[in-house]
Amino acid sequence: MTRKIVKHIAVLFLGMFVFANSLFADMYTFEDINFVMDIPEGFEISDGTENSLFFENKLMPVKFALKFYPEETYKNPKVMIEDVISQLSAKGGIEEVNWFGRECYLSTFQFVLPDQKLYAGWAFSIQVPLKDNPSKKQNILMLTYADAQISRDCDQYMLSIIDSIFFCQEDFRRPGPVTTFAFPKTENAEIVLNIGGKTIISNLEADAIERSKFVLEREYDVLKIYGNHEKWKEAWQRYYRQLFRESYNAFDDIARDVYKELLPSAQKANFKAPHMEMIQMLLDWVQDMEYERDRAHADFTVPVAAIQGFGCDCDSRSMLMCIMLEHFGIPTELFISREYSHAVFGAAVNQNGAAIEANGINYVLGETTAQVNFGLIAQEHSDTSKWIEVDLP
C-alpha cells in the first residue's frame, strides 16, 4: 500500500512510511517508527524511493540521505552500515557508539558518485522500534556528505544533522549520539553552590564544560550560516533547543539536591505556593552571577560553566532558569529578542506580572540581569511582538 510523505506543501509518495513536520520548523516525525529529526533549516526532499529519502539544501553544499531497511534485511546496525558502505565502494572507519544503551555506529567515509566527483562525509546507523509493535525494529542509516574539497568546512553542519535525532521522549533532554561518542560518561566532580542562604553540595561530570562547549561551538557555526537567511528566526530557535538539549541532563543531580535543600525554606515562607518562593530564590541566585559577554565568539556561557562562576549574560541565565525549573516540574519557555538584544525566561505559573502567551499557555516572565522580582521586566522590553518563543521539548 502506498502512503504519502508530507513536507510543507510538497507531497511525495513512498511505499513505506509517512512523515510530517511537527510544531518546530524543520523537525520531522515519522508515522510508523519512533524517530524524530530536528535538522537545520532549509532542507528539501529532492528524491525518494521505497526505502530511501534524499535531501538537499540550497544554502549549504551538503547532501543528506536516509535509508530504511527492515529487521530481516540486517540483523543489527553494524552489519547495515558495513554493507551500505561496501556497496558505495567507500573508504572509511566505523566506530561503535553506546548511546544511552543503544547499539549505534558512526563512520567517516569517502566515495565517488556517478558524476565522478569525490565526496566525503559521515554515516550513522541505528535500529528503532516500530510504533505499533515496539518489539519489531526498523534499521535506519543516515548519510550526510559534501564535495571532498570542501567537506571539512561542512563537518560541523553535517555532525549537527546526525546529532539532531531522537527516538523517545527522554532523548529531547539528553545529548545526541555524536556528542555522546565524543564525550563518554566520566567520573563526577563535587560542586558547591550557595542559593537562598544555603550551601548545597552536589556533583557534575568532570568534563561537563568541555562537552557543552563542543556543542556550543558546533551549533554556533551552524547558526552563523543563517544570519541573513529568511529562516533566521527558526535557526535561532533550533540553536537554543540544541543547547538546552545537551545541558539538561547534566543538571539531574544538581536540580535534585537544590530542590531538596530549598524546599523546607520555601514551604516555611510560602506554605500554599512554595514553588513561587523557589522561583524567586533561584532568580536571586542567577541575578547575582557575574555579568560578562563575549561578542567575538558565541556570546553564550554554557549553563554548567555559569554555575561555576564563569561570567554570563541574559540568555545563559534564562536557559539555566528554564533547566532548573523544568527539573522541578514547572513548564518553562525561553524568550529571545533580536530587537532588544535580550533574553528572558517564562514560567507557566499562576501569578500576576509581565507575561507572554505561547501555544495557548501564559508564561510569567523573569528578568535575570537586573535585581527585580519575578514577574517584572523593563518597560522598554514590554512589546511582546518583539519576543521570539523557544519551545523546550
Side-chain angles (χ1 to χ4, degrees):
M1 180 175 67
T2 301
R3 298 172 181 173
K4 65 181 180 179
I5 177 171
V6 182
K7 168 67 169 74
H8 299 306
I9 302 175
V11 179
L12 296 175
F13 290 89
L14 298 175
M16 291 182 59
F17 46 82
V18 180
F19 85 118
N21 282 351
S22 71
L23 292 175
F24 306 123
D26 276 19
M27 187 176 287
Y28 297 91
T29 59
F30 292 73
E31 181 183 74
D32 293 351
I33 54 177
N34 289 314
F35 187 66
V36 182
M37 304 185 305
D38 189 8
I39 60 177
E41 284 65 36
F43 276 100
E44 297 290 342
I45 302 166
S46 59
D47 197 5
T49 67
E50 285 196 356
N51 70 339
S52 299
L53 282 175
F54 298 93
F55 299 77
E56 291 190 359
N57 194 324
K58 295 179 180 178
L59 191 62
M60 283 290 289
V62 170
K63 299 179 186 295
F64 171 43
L66 286 174
K67 292 184 174 292
F68 303 84
Y69 301 98
E71 193 175 13
E72 295 76 17
T73 303
Y74 296 113
K75 64 180 181 179
N76 60 55
K78 182 179 182 181
V79 175
M80 172 176 58
I81 196 170
E82 288 175 339
D83 185 57
V84 172
I85 287 179
S86 175
Q87 290 180 38
L88 292 171
S89 298
K91 297 178 180 179
I94 299 173
E95 296 284 350
E96 184 174 0
V97 182
N98 183 354
W99 186 33
F100 296 95
R102 304 156 183 154
E103 181 186 3
C104 317
Y105 293 87
L106 184 67
S107 171
T108 57
F109 65 93
Q110 289 188 337
F111 70 113
V112 178
L113 280 177
D115 59 9
Q116 298 305 306
K117 283 186 179 180
L118 179 65
Y119 289 85
W122 297 82
F124 177 77
S125 64
I126 192 171
Q127 280 188 343
V128 302
L130 301 181
K131 285 184 178 178
D132 59 353
N133 185 4
S135 64
K136 298 284 289 182
K137 309 293 183 184
Q138 178 88 53
N139 287 295
I140 296 181
L141 182 73
M142 304 176 71
L143 298 164
T144 179
Y145 49 94
D147 188 312
Q149 294 183 351
I150 60 170
S151 62
R152 283 193 175 275
D153 295 330
C154 301
D155 263 352
Q156 295 284 57
Y157 198 83
M158 292 189 287
L159 289 174
S160 181
I161 292 171
I162 294 175
D163 230 12
S164 72
I165 64 170
F166 319 83
F167 75 80
C168 68
Q169 187 62 38
E170 290 78 11
D171 285 344
F172 285 94
R173 299 191 171 190
R174 57 193 185 191
V178 172
T179 304
T180 302
F181 173 72
F183 291 88
K185 189 170 179 60
T186 60
E187 293 183 358
N188 287 337
E190 183 179 277
I191 183 170
V192 180
L193 306 174
N194 293 290
I195 307 175
K198 301 283 187 179
T199 298
I200 303 169
I201 300 175
S202 190
N203 59 79
L204 185 66
E205 281 193 60
D207 63 352
I209 291 179
E210 288 74 21
R211 189 186 80 179
S212 289
K213 285 185 175 180
F214 170 80
V215 174
L216 171 64
E217 291 169 4
R218 183 189 71 208
E219 295 305 328
Y220 185 62
D221 281 350
V222 173
L223 177 65
K224 288 187 292 185
I225 296 168
Y226 295 88
N228 297 314
H229 191 264
E230 63 181 358
K231 290 193 173 184
W232 66 268
K233 182 176 78 171
E234 290 83 357
W236 274 105
Q237 291 170 319
R238 180 183 183 272
Y239 170 71
Y240 283 110
R241 284 200 303 272
Q242 300 307 308
L243 300 184
F244 175 85
R245 175 191 184 183
E246 185 281 324
S247 296
Y248 185 86
N249 80 332
F251 283 83
D252 288 351
D253 291 346
I254 294 171
R256 179 201 62 210
D257 294 334
V258 168
Y259 186 86
K260 179 181 177 181
E261 289 294 330
L262 296 188
L263 183 59
S265 297
Q267 290 175 324
K268 185 176 181 180
N270 190 344
F271 182 77
K272 291 185 178 180
H275 62 286
M276 297 304 305
E277 189 68 22
M278 294 182 79
I279 292 175
Q280 188 61 54
M281 293 165 80
L282 288 175
L283 184 57
D284 291 341
W285 172 51
V286 301
Q287 287 173 348
D288 282 338
M289 290 178 175
E290 181 181 351
Y291 183 87
E292 185 177 320
R293 295 191 68 171
D294 182 9
R295 297 177 186 270
H297 298 96
D299 198 17
F300 183 87
T301 303
V302 294
V304 290
I307 63 171
Q308 296 184 65
F310 291 84
C312 54
D313 189 20
C314 54
D315 51 356
S316 303
R317 301 180 190 199
S318 294
M319 181 171 291
L320 174 57
M321 287 295 300
C322 289
I323 290 170
M324 294 294 288
L325 295 182
E326 289 281 346
H327 271 95
F328 292 177
I330 300 172
T332 64
E333 193 94 344
L334 179 68
F335 295 95
I336 58 175
S337 172
R338 188 164 71 167
E339 288 86 354
Y340 296 144
S341 188
H342 197 42
V344 296
F345 74 94
V349 293
N350 184 20
Q351 176 172 306
N352 294 329
I356 296 178
E357 183 178 313
N359 301 319
I361 299 173
N362 200 53
Y363 292 93
V364 180
L365 303 180
E367 165 61 59
T368 62
T369 57
Q371 301 290 333
V372 297
N373 288 335
F374 177 60
L376 298 177
I377 64 170
Q379 180 65 34
E380 60 266 27
H381 295 162
S382 61
D383 185 349
T384 59
S385 67
K386 294 181 180 179
W387 290 100
I388 300 169
E389 69 275 11
V390 179
D391 294 323
L392 304 174

